[in-house]
């Protein structure tokens, strides 16, 4: 075999291995997302909204986003948001953080939005990396809920953008977003 031919065969083999590794990693990430979403659905201390504050679209609610992810599909954005009607893979770190807010920190939480709803055009919600929490331990955020402690827990769980009462546009919910 010529040196050129040998180099070509090696290059093709390396490229094939890289592609198959990527496919394996993508499949593993999808399996991780689906497993985390199924666990979230089974967790009694996590409530997922089945309606939006700003419109009606059952396919893009927090509950639908987690259910779709549990079934191996992307979560759907709302038709009225800045990135309408798109399927988004939810971030495994965000899903893990959401779950640990209940299992590790023992918060009972209500998630009002994930990728649905309307957010700023550059929001991490549209990348599947953010959650909005409207209730903590049965109390509405902005009405006596322990939002500062929950915000600190989100940071400890890897969220790098954490907003709540005192931040513009976040007087009634806590926004926790994981890195892009």
């Amino acid at each position: 075999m010529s040196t050129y031919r040998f180099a070509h065969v090696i290059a093709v083999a390396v490229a094939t291995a890289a592609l198959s590794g990527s496919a394996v990693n993508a499949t593993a990430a999808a399996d991780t997302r689906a497993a985390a979403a199924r666990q979230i659905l089974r967790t009694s201390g996590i409530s997922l909204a089945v309606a939006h504050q700003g419109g009606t679209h059952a396919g893009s609610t927090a509950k639908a986003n987690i259910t779709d992810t549990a079934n191996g599909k992307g979560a759907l954005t709302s038709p009225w948001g800045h990135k309408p009607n798109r399927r988004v893979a939810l971030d495994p770190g965000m899903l893990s953080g959401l779950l640990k807010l209940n299992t590790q920190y023992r918060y009972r939480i209500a998630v009002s939005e994930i990728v649905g709803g309307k957010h700023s055009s550059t929001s991490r919600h549209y990348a599947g990396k953010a959650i909005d929490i409207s209730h903590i331990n049965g109390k509405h955020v902005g009405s006596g809920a322990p939002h500062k402690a929950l915000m600190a827990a989100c940071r400890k769980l890897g969220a790098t953008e954490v907003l709540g009462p005192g931040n513009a546009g976040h007087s009634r919910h806590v926004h926790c977003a994981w890195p892009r």
Side-chain angles (χ1 to χ4, degrees):
M1 184 181 292
S2 74
T3 304
Y4 171 78
R5 177 81 176 129
F6 181 73
H8 179 72
V9 168
I10 295 298
V12 169
V14 169
T16 301
L19 287 175
S20 65
S22 296
V24 168
N25 290 340
T27 300
D31 289 347
T32 300
R33 282 191 293 274
R38 286 191 296 274
Q39 192 170 356
I40 289 166
L41 289 170
R42 290 191 305 265
T43 301
S44 62
I46 300 173
S47 171
L48 302 164
V50 296
H52 296 285
Q53 182 178 2
T56 58
H57 186 252
S60 63
T61 64
K63 176 86 173 211
N65 287 169
I66 295 296
T67 300
D68 283 348
T69 299
N71 291 325
K73 297 185 338 188
L76 186 62
T77 63
S78 298
W80 60 83
H82 289 285
K83 311 245 175 161
N85 301 311
R86 295 184 186 178
R87 291 276 176 191
V88 178
L90 298 183
D91 181 70
M94 181 273 295
L95 291 167
S96 174
L98 170 57
L99 192 57
K100 287 178 181 177
L101 284 171
N102 175 263
T103 61
Q104 183 176 330
Y105 288 91
R106 301 290 183 214
Y107 287 110
R108 287 177 293 110
I109 55 176
V111 178
S112 54
E113 296 292 355
I114 304 178
V115 304
K118 186 171 183 179
H119 311 277
S120 71
S121 61
T122 59
S123 175
R124 294 187 207 180
H125 283 284
Y126 299 128
K129 295 182 176 288
I131 55 174
D132 286 344
I133 298 169
S134 60
H135 290 77
I136 306 166
N137 298 337
K139 293 186 178 186
H140 201 288
V141 172
S143 300
H147 68 273
K148 288 183 181 180
L150 181 124
M151 291 168 73
C154 281
R155 287 184 193 95
K156 288 178 185 174
L157 292 168
T160 56
E161 180 180 80
V162 181
L163 306 168
N167 299 111
H170 295 85
S171 62
R172 307 273 296 152
H173 70 277
V174 171
H175 165 88
C176 299
W178 278 255
R180 288 190 193 270

